[in-house]
Every structure is written in structure tokens, then in C-alpha cells.
Amino acid sequence: MAATYVIARLTFREAARRKILLAALLLGLAFLAIFGVGFNYVNAELRTTSTRYDLLQRSEMYNFFLMAGLYVVNFLTVMMTVLTSVVTLSGEIASGTIHTVASKPLRRWEIVLGKWLGFAIMVTLYLLLMAGGVLALVYGLSGYLPPNPGRGLALMWLNALLLLSISILGGATLSTLANGVMVFGLYGLAFIGGWVEQFGSLLNNPTAINIGILTSLIMPSEALWKRAAYEMQSPLVGALGFSPFSAASVPSPAMVVYAVLYLLATLGLAIRQFQRRDL
């Protein structure tokens, strides 16, 4: 396992030097700055008109603003995860640089697992910065915290690791371009399927709901976000059953377990494919 940690450290350093990560960090910091300024003005307006809004109404507005921020954070984290990892393995195989590592006394599974771990550390730090920043800004300015923030962030983290595992699998099997198309295609499929299920639940349409469930089985990324939003949504939104940033149809805990198994199976398949691939 020592070799795996070495590969993870080298992968983390290499990813940290990429301009894509720098751009993601700068855009993320810009988003946090705009979010903080915007929320500060919203909060100030709510407090100056406190006679018109009681505590419950303010809490609902705070939750809505917070969920909007976390929705953007989830999207930015997914994009950063895919764009930084999509070139790993496939790009190194195409350029021949993989031989520098593969020629050493390392097992191929150690290379794959090490690269996955290096990117996973990077993704974790990015998510903590972004999601933690949104939560800290809202709490610092208003004193509001959503229900179950730990569960919600854990599900967002699992979502990012799921996309990372699929990207690593594509890198072990496909070219860089084909890998990017595959990962973003699956993410888009899950996204549109999730909204079809949302509207199907609102309209009580079993066919639309089943389409959403099927796309969640093919790619459970949107289901993880919907579960995360459900964990952090306010009780009133949960009672009403709909918000642009939450879920009318809530994925069950079984779907979360399925997503974990999906991640492990994808990572295992990536190791298997890389071991069989001709370098």
C-alpha cells in the first residue's frame, strides 16, 4: 500500500499544478464572494423589514438561498472533478508517460488506486472549501444552519467520488476525448432523468417516475444530489414537496447504498481494465 500512497501524492501534486484546477479555484472563490455579498444584502433587507417577515419566513428564505448556493457548489465540484481527472491514464497512455510509472516494480492496481486516491483528496478539499464556505457565510451573517448538513455534504462528496470513479474507468478503457463524452453524457442523462422524475411526481405520472428511476439506476449522480437536498431542506419545503433545489421524489436509502456499490464496482472494473490494457 505504500506505493499507492506515493502515486496518490504524485497525482495530487500533478493535479494541483494544472490550470484547470487553478481556474476552478478562482471561479469558486469568485462565486463565494458574489454569494456572500448577495446574501448579505438579502439578510439586511429581511432584518430591516422584520415586521413583515416572522422567524419562520426568514428561515425559509435563508434555506432557499443556501440550497441555491449548494446546488451551484455541487455542479462546480462535479465539473472540476471530471475536467481534472478525465485525462489521467488515457492521456498518459497516449503520450507514453505511463511507461515511466508502469515500468517500476508496481502493480497496476496500485497505479489506478493511487491515482483515484490522489484525485479523491483534491475533490474532498475543494468540496470542503466551497460547501463549507457557503455554510459559513450563511451562518456567519444570519446564524442559520440547515437540517443535517453533515449528511448532505457527505452525499455531495459521494456524488463527486462517483463521477471520479467513472472518469478513471473511462481513462483505463477509452481515449481522453471519448472518456469526456462518456462521463458528461452519463451526467447529462442523470440530470434530465431526475427532472423528468420530479415533474412525474408532481403530475402523478407513473411512466415519468419510472423513467427517472431507470436513469438513476444507469447513473445515480442526480439521485445523490436529490437525497442531499432532501436531508438539508427545511421542514416546510419537505411538507410542500417541491422546490427548484430539492426533490419532490426522494431517493430512498437503498439508492444511496446502490450508489456506493456502483462506485466500488466502477473502481474495480477500472482496475481490471487497466490490468488487461496493452500499454
Side-chain angles (χ1 to χ4, degrees), residues 11-239:
T11 300
F12 180 84
R13 290 179 178 176
E14 179 187 356
R17 290 195 297 266
R18 291 179 182 172
K19 293 182 179 180
I20 293 176
L21 179 59
L22 177 61
L25 284 172
L26 292 176
L27 288 173
L29 293 174
F31 163 74
L32 288 177
I34 295 172
F35 179 87
V37 172
F39 184 78
N40 182 54
Y41 280 108
V42 169
N43 183 50
E45 179 65 23
L46 290 176
R47 290 188 181 278
T48 55
T49 56
S50 57
T51 56
R52 293 168 49 195
Y53 300 104
D54 59 22
L55 181 60
L56 176 61
Q57 288 176 314
R58 287 204 304 269
S59 295
E60 292 304 315
M61 293 180 184
Y62 291 152
N63 186 266
F64 181 88
F65 209 90
L66 174 68
M67 293 308 300
L70 291 178
Y71 186 83
V72 175
V73 167
N74 183 69
F75 177 78
L76 289 176
T77 303
V78 167
M79 293 299 103
M80 189 277 297
T81 300
V82 176
L83 291 176
T84 54
S85 64
V86 71
V87 74
T88 196
L89 293 181
S90 60
E92 294 170 355
I93 292 172
S95 64
T97 57
I98 192 66
H99 296 104
T100 305
V101 178
S103 61
K104 298 181 183 300
L106 293 173
R107 298 180 180 89
R108 290 194 179 186
W109 68 265
E110 291 177 317
I111 297 174
V112 176
L113 191 59
K115 288 184 173 294
W116 184 91
L117 184 61
F119 283 113
I121 294 172
M122 179 192 67
V123 167
T124 302
L125 294 176
Y126 186 82
L127 180 61
L128 287 175
L129 171 66
M130 296 297 295
V134 169
L135 288 168
L137 285 169
V138 172
Y139 180 75
L141 293 171
S142 67
Y144 175 80
L145 275 179
N148 307 314
R151 294 181 192 174
L153 294 187
L155 289 164
M156 292 171 64
W157 179 64
L158 177 60
N159 186 25
L161 294 185
L162 176 66
L163 269 295
L164 171 61
S165 300
I166 295 173
S167 180
I168 294 292
L169 171 60
T173 310
L174 307 169
S175 66
T176 299
L177 180 59
N179 186 20
V181 171
M182 179 195 72
V183 178
F184 283 119
L186 287 173
Y187 180 75
L189 176 68
F191 179 82
I192 192 64
W195 279 100
V196 169
E197 185 178 358
Q198 287 275 71
F199 284 106
S201 298
L202 290 173
L203 300 174
N204 197 25
N205 188 312
T207 302
I209 294 174
N210 290 334
I211 290 174
I213 294 173
L214 178 61
T215 57
S216 295
L217 293 175
I218 297 173
M219 178 61 182
S221 62
E222 187 67 15
L224 289 174
W225 161 252
K226 287 163 64 178
R227 183 70 196 191
Y230 167 76
E231 294 289 349
M232 294 184 287
Q233 71 186 6
S234 68
L236 180 59
V237 171

